[in-house]
Amino acid sequence: MTPPRLPFMAPDQPIRHLEVPLETQILGMVDYQEMWDRQAELALARAHNEIPDQLLFLEHPSTYTAGKRTQPEDRPTNGLPCIDVDRGGRITWHGPGQLVCYPIIKLVEPVDVVDYVRRVEEAIIQVVRSFGLSQAGRIDGRSGVWLPAPERKIAALGIRVTRGVTMHGLAINCDNTLEYYNHIVPCGIDDAGVTTLSAELERDVQPNEVIQPLAQALAAAFSGELVVADHSFASRGI
C-alpha cells in the first residue's frame, strides 16, 4: 500500500483560523434529517464568516445513513429506513447512547481533507485511550478508530467539505446497543466487528462523559497542539 503523503500544513500548525472562536453546542437528541438541514445552514453561514467555528454534540434517534460509497449489499436487512447522505464513506447506524459530533470548521487554505480526517482520528484516539483503552489506534486503509485482536471499530468517521467548511463528522459508541449493526455491513467492512466504550470497559459510559474531553482534544488537534502520531497496528486494503 502506498504510504500516506505528507500533510500540506506542518503537523504542529493549525488547520483552522485560531483568531476565530471555537464554540461548543450540546444539543441532546435531534432527528437526523433536521440536523442535516441545520448543518447545511451553519456551514453556509460559516463560509460567509457570519458565525464562528462550531462543535455540535448530540445523539440521534435510531437511524441508518448511507454515504456516497454505499453498495446495495451493505443496506439494512431489517426493513428500517435508510437516509442517503452526501458524506463520504458507506453505511452506518446512529442511535441513543452513541455520541455524535459535527464540527462546522472553516479550514485554512490549502484545504487538506486527509489531514483533517487524521486530526479528528487523533483526537478520538487520545480520548478513547484516556478512558483506559490504551490499544486504540488506526488500521491503515480504513477510517475511524479501532481496537485490535480481534479488530473492532469503536468510532466512525464520515465527512464532507464544502466551500472550505467541514460537515458531518464522527460518532463514538458509548453505551448504545450493537443490535442494529447486525442488519447492515457497517462501513462496508464485513471482516471486523463493532464495539462500545461500555462493553470494553465493563462499566456504563454515557455520551455526556465523553463530550468535554472530546471537545478539548478536537480543539487541540485543529490548533496543532495535539500532533498526529502513528497509531496504526494493521493495514488493510480499501
Side-chain angles (χ1 to χ4, degrees):
M1 179 179 292
T2 303
R5 60 160 176 78
L6 294 175
F8 298 154
M9 301 295 294
D12 61 351
Q13 293 301 301
I15 60 167
R16 76 174 196 88
H17 299 279
L18 296 185
E19 67 275 12
V20 176
L22 178 58
E23 295 186 351
T24 296
Q25 296 189 41
I26 302 174
L27 304 176
M29 187 73 66
V30 186
D31 174 77
Y32 187 89
Q33 185 67 55
E34 176 187 340
M35 192 67 242
W36 185 11
D37 295 340
R38 186 170 177 183
Q39 279 190 76
E41 294 171 359
L42 291 171
L44 181 60
R46 182 66 192 96
H48 292 159
N49 297 316
E50 297 171 353
I51 61 170
D53 289 336
Q54 313 269 316
L55 294 177
L56 311 177
F57 290 97
L58 60 142
E59 296 175 63
H60 287 304
S62 186
T63 310
Y64 288 118
T65 69
K68 293 183 288 187
R69 295 177 53 241
T70 299
Q71 303 299 306
E73 60 270 21
D74 299 341
R75 292 182 177 272
T77 59
N78 58 358
L80 292 182
C82 180
I83 300 174
D84 291 292
V85 296
D86 58 355
R87 61 166 171 77
R90 292 170 73 169
I91 196 166
T92 194
W93 172 85
H94 296 303
Q98 180 193 73
L99 178 64
V100 174
C101 177
Y102 295 133
I104 308 295
I105 304 294
K106 190 170 187 178
L107 300 175
V108 299
E109 295 184 350
V111 170
D112 189 340
V113 177
V114 174
D115 188 22
Y116 170 72
V117 169
R118 292 294 171 262
R119 291 188 188 218
V120 171
E121 288 176 343
E122 188 70 28
I124 302 169
I125 289 169
Q126 295 305 318
V127 170
V128 171
R129 288 184 172 190
S130 76
F131 273 83
L133 300 176
S134 61
Q135 292 185 303
R138 296 183 181 87
I139 297 177
D140 291 339
R142 293 178 172 177
S143 68
V145 173
W146 296 78
L147 295 170
E151 292 169 9
R152 55 216 189 272
K153 181 179 278 193
I154 199 163
L157 275 70
I159 70 154
R160 172 179 167 84
V161 177
T162 177
R163 301 182 183 89
V165 178
T166 64
M167 288 180 56
H168 301 289
L170 63 111
I172 300 179
N173 289 336
C174 296
D175 63 349
N176 52 283
T177 179
L178 297 176
E179 193 273 334
Y180 289 96
Y181 290 106
N182 295 330
H183 303 283
I184 58 173
V185 181
C187 303
I189 297 171
D190 60 6
D191 61 354
V194 184
T195 191
T196 68
L197 287 170
S198 295
E200 297 296 330
L201 296 170
E202 299 182 341
R203 72 173 182 86
D204 187 38
V205 180
Q206 298 187 8
N208 284 343
E209 287 186 61
V210 184
I211 291 175
Q212 182 177 1
L214 181 57
Q216 293 173 342
L218 287 169
F222 296 154
S223 71
E225 179 183 353
L226 176 60
V227 176
V228 174
D230 183 4
H231 301 301
S232 297
F233 56 79
S235 179
R236 300 285 181 265
I238 298 175

